[in-house]
Amino acid sequence: SKAKNDGAARWDIDPIQSEHVRYIFSWVGDGGCSLAEVARRLFERSINTAHGKSKWDTATIRGILINPAYHGHAVYGKQRLVARKPGKRAKRGDPAVPRQAKVTAATNVSEQTVIPVPAIIDHALFERVRVRMDENLKRLRERKNGSNYLLSGLMICGICGSAYCSRRNGGGKYIYYRCIGTD
């Protein structure tokens, strides 16, 4: 940051963490590992997260794998604050009027600024990882046997505005829907 470097911001590479990033990219791009497998390997090697946790979340690993800064292209201005859209029903227990009037929204690519930074991996490996993750996304299934509840997440109670949740009765033989506001 500018505050730490006498008014000049710069991008420094940590040699230890950059080696961990190289492991992650090579395991996915060259080895074809899933995100869960990468998390297991990091745990087995006792490699902690940036916050010192021993267990890695797959969302954190995915965030590393899609970040173009690792191949030398940092992006500035990916999000901006915009006025909150009206009309969404507040979650149960939340106030009807939200505290924050603005929310973050993604910007167009034309509004973003690409900043060249030192690369940790080459662009070809980054592209192999992107292709592998796209293939894994095609194979991803919510459940192999399909959903048991056809209307799950689609109905809300007309009285209290809470969601309807499915329940089983009769030893799991009968499925019915019930307002979760009555629980």
Side-chain angles (χ1 to χ4, degrees):
S1 68
K2 288 183 178 182
K4 291 182 181 178
N5 295 313
D6 299 326
R10 71 172 195 256
W11 196 278
D12 290 333
I13 295 178
D14 181 353
I16 296 170
Q17 288 185 351
S18 64
E19 191 62 29
H20 300 162
V21 169
R22 285 187 198 98
Y23 289 151
I24 293 169
F25 274 93
S26 66
W27 289 336
V28 175
D30 298 331
C33 291
S34 67
L35 300 182
E37 177 61 26
V38 170
R40 279 191 291 277
R41 288 184 181 190
L42 290 168
F43 179 75
E44 289 169 359
R45 291 181 181 223
S46 300
I47 298 173
N48 291 339
T49 67
H51 297 288
K53 295 180 181 178
S54 60
K55 295 272 187 174
W56 283 75
D57 189 29
T58 55
T60 304
I61 297 168
R62 182 186 176 279
I64 290 170
L65 293 171
I66 65 171
N67 188 346
Y70 292 114
H71 73 84
H73 296 93
V75 180
Y76 175 77
K78 292 186 274 189
Q79 295 179 334
R80 75 168 39 148
L81 287 174
V82 296
R84 185 182 296 270
K85 292 180 182 176
K88 290 230 174 185
R89 177 178 60 88
K91 291 188 305 186
R92 184 172 147 219
D94 284 356
V97 178
R99 284 182 246 162
Q100 304 295 328
K102 295 187 175 187
V103 295
T104 58
T107 59
N108 293 329
V109 176
S110 62
E111 299 175 40
Q112 301 171 3
T113 305
V114 176
I115 304 165
V117 295
I120 296 175
I121 59 155
D122 61 341
H123 187 71
L125 178 57
F126 187 82
E127 282 301 311
R128 286 196 304 272
V129 167
R130 187 188 60 76
V131 168
R132 170 62 68 182
M133 290 179 63
D134 287 345
E135 289 174 9
N136 289 350
L137 189 62
K138 289 177 187 174
R139 293 189 181 102
L140 178 69
R141 297 290 180 256
E142 189 174 321
R143 289 182 68 175
K144 289 185 179 180
N145 60 354
S147 176
N148 290 332
Y149 311 110
L150 179 65
L151 302 175
S152 182
L154 298 175
M155 298 187 305
I156 60 169
C157 179
I159 298 170
C160 69
S162 295
Y164 271 86
C165 184
S166 58
R167 299 278 191 247
R168 287 189 175 266
N169 194 5
K173 187 175 178 182
Y174 303 106
I175 299 171
Y176 66 97
Y177 296 89
R178 175 182 168 156
C179 171
I180 61 172
T182 60
D183 289 346

